[in-house]
Amino acid sequence: MNITYMTTSELSERIKYDPRTIREQLKDSVLFEGVHYIRPFGGRKILYLWERIEEDMLLGVSLNTLTVNM
């Protein structure tokens, strides 16, 4: 399985959110450690797991679509 590791800046470019928004509002409320991001070697640096984030974003879209269409 290929995993794409991204910094906060790289993730912000991909999802069109400001890096500060990711750090202050999304991290630990919708993006969770061990699911959407890791801290390699127990350090301070955060690497986001793109495939997990993309999967959850698409899941949210399909759930919202189902709710609206019911």
Side-chain angles (χ1 to χ4, degrees):
M1 175 178 183
N2 291 334
I3 299 174
T4 306
Y5 298 100
M6 307 179 101
T7 64
T8 305
S9 295
E10 292 167 333
L11 179 62
S12 76
E13 290 174 16
R14 185 148 316 177
I15 66 172
K16 309 304 186 222
Y17 276 82
D18 188 86
R20 188 172 176 180
T21 301
I22 293 171
R23 284 191 303 271
E24 295 179 3
Q25 295 179 3
L26 299 180
K27 188 171 100 21
D28 298 326
S29 65
V30 295
L31 300 175
F32 299 105
E33 187 169 5
V35 177
H36 302 105
Y37 71 89
I38 60 170
R39 295 176 189 267
F41 313 110
R44 290 184 48 182
K45 185 168 192 72
I46 292 174
L47 292 177
Y48 291 91
L49 310 172
W50 171 246
E51 288 76 14
R52 293 281 181 98
I53 293 170
E54 183 179 44
E55 182 181 317
D56 281 3
M57 286 191 319
L58 293 174
L59 178 64
V61 169
S62 62
L63 288 177
N64 288 336
T65 303
L66 288 175
T67 304
V68 172
N69 291 330
M70 293 183 131

